[in-house]
Amino acid sequence: MAASARVVVVGSLNVDSTSYVASFPAPGETIRSHGFRVALGGKGSNQAVAAHVVGAAVELVARVGGDAAGDFAVATLDRLGVPTGAIARETDAPTGVAQITVADSGENTIIVTGGANLALTPAVVDAERDRIVAALVLTQGELPVATIDRLASLAAEAGVRFVLNLAPPAPVSAETLAVADPLVVNEHEARAVGIGTDAPDATLEDWRTTAASAVGRVARSVVVTLGAAGAVAASVDGTWAIAAPSVSAVDTTGAGDAFTGTLAAFLAEGRSLEESLRIAVAAGALAVQARGTVDSYAPRAAVLEAAARGGASPAGGAAPA
Ligand code: RIB
């Protein structure tokens, strides 16, 4: 990867408790799981790992609690080779946690409790200014809104690329959306910011048109991920639709993060939005084929190989959401 491929992720870090079930319980119902795991998670941390494994030099600005979960999270990032020098401990707060349920269909539900992530305030952004303005900046909707807004204005002021994955949807300012390059959203998040088609059976081509209509109106450039269908992108330079390869989805958790971290890494490397989109779709499709989040992320060579053949391995059915 080019030496200039530097990504700073200012983002959430959670510990994920995941139960694997045949199908989701109904309200009031108690069911048995057929598997359980505790692992590193959080959209910020996942995206940092995704960018790292495809070769970017990554910095992760994050917060963990003074608890055992915080020890576990930092030790896991150390093991994976992601620098942890910008992760501080909040001794009075618990590490962020996500309770995840994954059904045999590969779909998931996620409940996030912010914990120490909520200590990632605008003041932290100001304190980390020098680190932040030195690279492409990537963040997500799990941080406090004021922090995302501050980050966007700092990136704009410094002239560095700002990539915003608005997951989950958060009421950030119009100015923040306007400087996102790209704004990365799934179809639900897209609708939350006024990018959407009401057609229940909207195709990739429909979404390509919809994304194009949001360029300049909502954000500088726009990427919409469409699960098993693939993803679209639009900027002032053009519009692109990339169909996802047909694969067997085991667990879609964190596949959107694999997509976004990979997209950011290749944009930071100087690749075009079109090429980065194609590679990111391959990374997401690889990630859904194994359980977990960061443990399912494929390294650079495998991602590039999958992107080159327009597929991500054996036959089956899904990609990133
Ligand atoms: O995108 C998946 C992630 O969402 C999980 O790792 C969980 O921690 C939540 O942040």
Side-chain angles (χ1 to χ4, degrees):
M1 177 159 285
S4 58
R6 299 182 63 193
V7 175
V8 59
V9 181
V10 182
S12 56
L13 193 164
N14 298 327
V15 170
D16 294 350
S17 293
T18 303
S19 296
Y20 295 89
V21 299
S23 56
F24 298 121
E29 187 183 10
T30 300
I31 61 169
R32 289 187 173 80
S33 78
H34 57 69
F36 177 75
R37 73 199 303 258
V38 173
L40 178 67
K43 295 184 194 303
S45 172
N46 293 346
Q47 292 176 21
V49 173
H52 168 74
V53 299
V54 295
V58 173
E59 290 270 14
L60 173 59
V61 179
R63 293 293 179 264
V64 295
D67 49 12
D71 296 339
F72 167 77
V74 173
T76 305
L77 285 164
D78 281 339
R79 174 175 59 78
L80 293 168
V82 176
T84 54
I87 302 175
R89 311 293 295 242
E90 295 292 329
T91 48
D92 294 338
T95 297
V97 63
Q99 293 162 282
I100 302 177
T101 309
V102 177
D104 285 351
S105 62
E107 297 169 298
N108 63 56
T109 64
I110 303 178
I111 301 171
V112 170
T113 303
N117 291 304
L118 304 182
L120 208 51
T121 60
V124 173
V125 172
D126 292 339
E128 295 284 355
R129 186 184 193 286
D130 291 348
R131 194 189 306 264
I132 292 167
V133 300
L136 177 151
V137 178
L138 171 61
T139 194
Q140 310 78 25
E142 285 183 337
L143 295 187
V145 166
T147 304
I148 302 170
D149 285 341
R150 182 74 192 105
L151 204 49
S153 63
L154 175 61
E157 180 190 304
V160 295
R161 191 165 196 159
F162 176 62
V163 178
L164 173 60
N165 175 215
L166 205 61
V172 298
S173 72
E175 290 78 13
T176 290
L177 293 174
V179 296
D181 188 19
L183 170 67
V184 182
V185 283
N186 67 21
E187 53 195 296
H188 309 292
E189 294 148 4
R191 290 193 177 96
V193 292
I195 304 172
T197 157
D198 288 334
D201 52 356
T203 64
L204 266 186
E205 287 305 318
D206 294 332
W207 276 103
R208 184 197 334 219
T209 306
T210 301
S213 74
V215 173
R217 177 177 63 85
V218 178
R220 207 166 274 175
S221 61
V222 176
V223 170
V224 184
T225 61
L226 298 160
V232 301
S235 75
V236 290
D237 297 321
T239 65
W240 304 275
I242 306 293
S246 187
V247 299
S248 249
V250 172
D251 182 354
T252 57
T253 313
D257 299 329
F259 174 96
T260 303
T262 302
L263 183 87
F266 283 91
L267 288 173
E269 190 175 328
R271 308 275 188 128
S272 67
L273 182 57
E274 177 187 15
E275 190 178 9
S276 302
L277 178 74
R278 192 176 301 280
I279 299 168
V281 166
L286 287 166
V288 301
Q289 296 177 68
R291 277 190 172 181
T293 57
V294 297
D295 294 329
S296 69
Y297 296 172
R300 179 181 178 90
V303 169
L304 286 175
E305 190 204 331
R309 65 170 190 271
S313 141

